[in-house]
Amino acid sequence: MAKVQIEYVCQNCGAKSPKELGRCPVCGQWGTYIEEKTERQMIAQKAPKIISSGARPLKLHEVEATPEIRIDLHNGELNRVLGGGLVPGSLVLIGGEPGIGKSTLALQILMKLGEIKTLYASGEESTKQIKLRAERLDGNPSNLFILSETSLEKILEYATELMPDIVVIDSIQTIGTETIDATIGSLSQVRECAAILLRFAKEKNIPFLIVGHINKEGSIAGPKVLEHIVDTVLQFEGDQHYMYRILRAQKNRFGSTSELGIYEMQHNGLREVTNPSELLLSQNHEGLSGMAIASAVEGVRPFLIEIQALVSSAAYGTPQRSSTGFDGRRLNMLLAVLEKRVGFKLLQKDVFLNIAGGLRVNDPAIDLAVLAAVLSSNMDIALDDGICLSGEVGLSGEIRPVARIDQRIAEAEKLGFKKIIIPAGQKVSFRPKQIEILPVKKVAEAFRHILKN
Ligand code: TYD
Ligand code: MG
């Protein structure tokens, strides 16, 4: 006889407990425990038997390599992030905060696919709502099926009937399977649904784009369990107040994770931003202090971004340090370097830092531009607008080499910059036509170049 057992599962990390806990001892979250029923025996019976594939060990050269098939999604940015298109039979998870544009992205892709047969299954919206959204997007699909359904079994039944080339599930937290007795959106449901989808996708060789919501911590709800199951995890991020969105690959079995796609949210959907430096070029602010331009690389693409800093006298005893789009701890470290190695007195100053366009940049090569912006604001001197910077700053104030320096210089030259400050001792094979390259060893040396004008 099946023995029904009640246990409490943390919806954040999946830890289990026989009684309800206020705070999860594993991940430290409050109020995340939810009651779930498990039928011990049933699960034991249902566990799939392990079946041998009958394969023998082969020498590497004996293994036949068939060329990979990829489905072209007619969306350059997404194709690139996926590593050259969508692999048939793969599961791709698109995670992001509510309202960032996941549904728009998924629907927009299907809209552009023309005659390719696709299925958009939504547990969140009615077919009418989806139709309204679709009307705002471009494209004229002749084979796009819309389904408003929360039962996974039903969705897969229709998928078997239609045999589409791509299926979108929007979202994994709003659909559920009948095989387990847990509320829709709970960790066990999400995990079970993903496992069923995986089996189905591989069996039928149909790729799935799965939308997933993100919880407070920025990980996909039902977090780690899903990441293990799917082939690719894409993170859709951006600041809701800005129009730019970034699509990053966090995990990719079929490509690199260093690629990234940039979009702009417009009234008729997401526009691909093929030239990221336009984020910067759209503005013009000659003569303003507290701004510096960095030649950054995100993924494998170089682009120029604007760093803004505001340094002012602290109104209260403890000075404020705040940054948007840049790691706060790194900002503190850079300010300490400025204080100790260059002799700036920032102890009594508030420092605010902002990366224009609502972008979050991880590239350490923007360090030097961050310091230049702080310097400029502190002295209230505008930097020469023909200069840009690239270099990581070390603890002793030394400028450390950065990756892809040639591309950074080339991008700066392309956009008409006259000078670029780079780390000394870095091998440059790029032959500049007009841009002047200024190698520097120390922060102080970089400041001397900046202040010369
Ligand atoms: P949505 O794709 O529903 O976000 P998610 O599925 O990630 O929750 O849409 C996000 C926002 O985008 C929504 O507030 C409305 C806006 N939007 C546009 O600006 N232009 C458009 O063409 C569409 C369809 C949506
Ligand atoms: Mg949505």
Side-chain angles (χ1 to χ4, degrees):
M1 209 184 74
K3 187 172 159 221
V4 178
Q5 199 179 2
I6 291 181
E7 57 188 6
Y8 294 84
V9 182
C10 169
Q11 301 300 303
N12 186 51
C13 70
K16 291 179 182 168
S17 152
K19 53 181 198 310
E20 192 169 4
L21 300 176
R23 182 170 188 257
C24 176
V26 180
C27 67
Q29 287 298 303
W30 291 90
T32 51
Y33 274 80
I34 283 190
E35 178 184 313
E36 288 185 6
K37 284 187 204 129
T38 42
E39 292 185 24
R40 289 258 162 228
Q41 212 181 26
M42 263 178 63
I43 286 175
Q45 279 170 0
K46 262 195 302 174
K49 271 191 233 140
I50 298 166
I51 304 165
S52 156
S53 66
R56 285 175 40 74
L58 290 175
K59 285 202 179 139
L60 185 60
H61 67 261
E62 293 169 353
V63 180
E64 267 182 61
T66 43
E68 243 182 325
I69 305 166
R70 299 263 184 171
I71 303 168
D72 178 7
L73 295 174
H74 300 286
N75 188 311
E77 299 290 293
L78 183 58
N79 274 344
R80 199 155 33 75
V81 174
L82 286 173
L86 187 60
V87 176
S90 65
L91 290 192
V92 177
L93 180 67
I94 303 176
E97 288 174 17
I100 206 80
K102 304 177 295 296
S103 305
T104 307
L105 179 68
L107 188 59
Q108 180 170 348
I109 288 158
L110 301 192
M111 295 281 293
K112 294 265 168 69
L113 289 178
E115 287 174 10
I116 296 179
K117 197 194 276 182
T118 53
L119 173 64
Y120 182 91
S122 174
E124 295 189 344
E125 291 169 308
S126 67
T127 40
K128 243 194 218 139
Q129 283 172 311
I130 299 168
K131 171 82 180 174
L132 278 177
R133 187 198 291 272
E135 274 170 358
R136 298 171 67 177
L137 307 171
D138 296 336
N140 187 20
S142 55
N143 245 336
L144 166 59
F145 290 84
I146 304 288
L147 175 66
S148 178
E149 180 60 79
T150 52
S151 155
L152 180 64
E153 278 71 26
K154 272 273 176 253
I155 294 173
L156 295 186
E157 200 182 303
Y158 288 123
T160 315
E161 191 185 309
L162 292 169
M163 286 302 283
D165 292 305
I166 301 174
V167 181
V168 167
I169 303 275
D170 189 5
S171 64
I172 187 86
Q173 281 104 345
T174 54
I175 58 160
T177 161
E178 293 150 19
T179 52
I180 62 164
D181 181 15
T183 42
I184 284 182
S186 68
L187 196 73
S188 343
Q189 271 291 359
V190 167
R191 180 176 19 193
E192 191 61 25
C193 287
I196 295 175
L197 283 172
L198 178 74
R199 252 174 276 146
F200 185 87
K202 304 286 166 204
E203 213 173 85
K204 305 268 196 254
N205 208 25
I206 298 175
F208 280 76
L209 294 178
I210 304 171
V211 171
H213 292 295
I214 267 184
N215 63 8
K216 296 188 281 291
E217 279 62 54
S219 52
I220 292 153
K224 294 294 166 207
V225 282
L226 267 186
E227 292 182 9
H228 291 309
I229 297 173
V230 300
D231 298 301
T232 304
V233 179
L234 306 181
Q235 188 100 2
F236 205 35
E237 58 189 39
D239 193 318
Q240 291 225 7
H241 304 292
Y242 293 93
M243 293 299 115
Y244 294 106
R245 302 282 181 268
I246 290 187
L247 189 68
R248 281 177 211 273
Q250 281 192 338
K251 162 188 171 176
N252 193 354
R253 285 204 182 124
F254 307 111
S256 101
T257 49
S258 59
E259 288 286 2
L260 118 174
I262 303 181
Y263 293 92
E264 184 186 7
M265 180 62 95
Q266 294 185 330
H267 65 282
N268 59 347
L270 292 154
R271 180 181 71 87
E272 295 175 50
V273 178
T274 39
N275 173 20
S277 295
E278 73 178 60
L279 305 191
L280 160 86
L281 292 179
S282 53
Q283 296 133 38
N284 181 22
H285 15 212
E286 255 172 67
L288 294 182
S289 70
M291 279 192 13
I293 311 291
S295 187
V297 171
E298 273 288 326
V300 291
R301 277 193 302 176
F303 61 94
L304 297 185
I305 49 166
E306 179 192 306
I307 320 265
Q308 303 167 341
L310 179 67
V311 180
S312 65
S313 298
Y316 305 104
T318 325
Q320 292 187 62
R321 307 276 128 115
S322 142
S323 68
T324 319
F326 187 73
D327 182 16
R329 270 174 303 178
R330 192 148 187 101
L331 173 63
N332 280 334
M333 186 279 268
L334 290 175
L335 294 178
V337 169
L338 214 49
E339 181 108 30
K340 180 97 182 164
R341 309 287 174 199
V342 196
F344 268 76
K345 293 283 167 269
L346 291 167
L347 263 184
Q348 299 304 320
K349 303 277 174 111
D350 288 340
V351 179
F352 304 96
L353 192 82
N354 182 24
I355 293 191
L359 293 184
R360 183 170 63 81
V361 180
N362 297 326
D363 182 8
I366 70 171
D367 285 357
L368 197 50
V370 168
L371 286 188
V374 170
L375 167 90
S376 160
S377 178
N378 193 40
M379 300 181 70
D380 204 12
I381 298 174
L383 301 189
D384 172 4
D385 61 0
I387 198 162
C388 82
L389 306 100
S390 218
E392 183 182 341
V393 174
L395 287 180
S396 56
E398 83 278 20
I399 311 294
R400 304 168 62 100
V402 295
R404 301 180 189 274
I405 191 72
D406 292 323
Q407 275 171 279
R408 294 174 198 265
I409 301 172
E411 183 73 10
E413 184 171 72
K414 197 172 93 195
L415 291 167
F417 281 83
K418 306 214 171 51
K419 293 174 186 171
I420 180 166
I421 297 183
I422 66 161
Q426 181 141 27
K427 204 172 145 276
V428 177
S429 22
F430 180 77
R431 294 277 149 258
K433 287 190 200 72
Q434 46 180 352
I435 195 165
E436 187 186 350
I437 299 175
L438 305 168
V440 294
K441 281 202 191 77
K442 296 263 176 196
V443 174
E445 218 176 306
F447 284 182
R448 241 169 274 138
H449 280 301
I450 295 171
L451 297 174
K452 224 191 283 176
N453 309 288

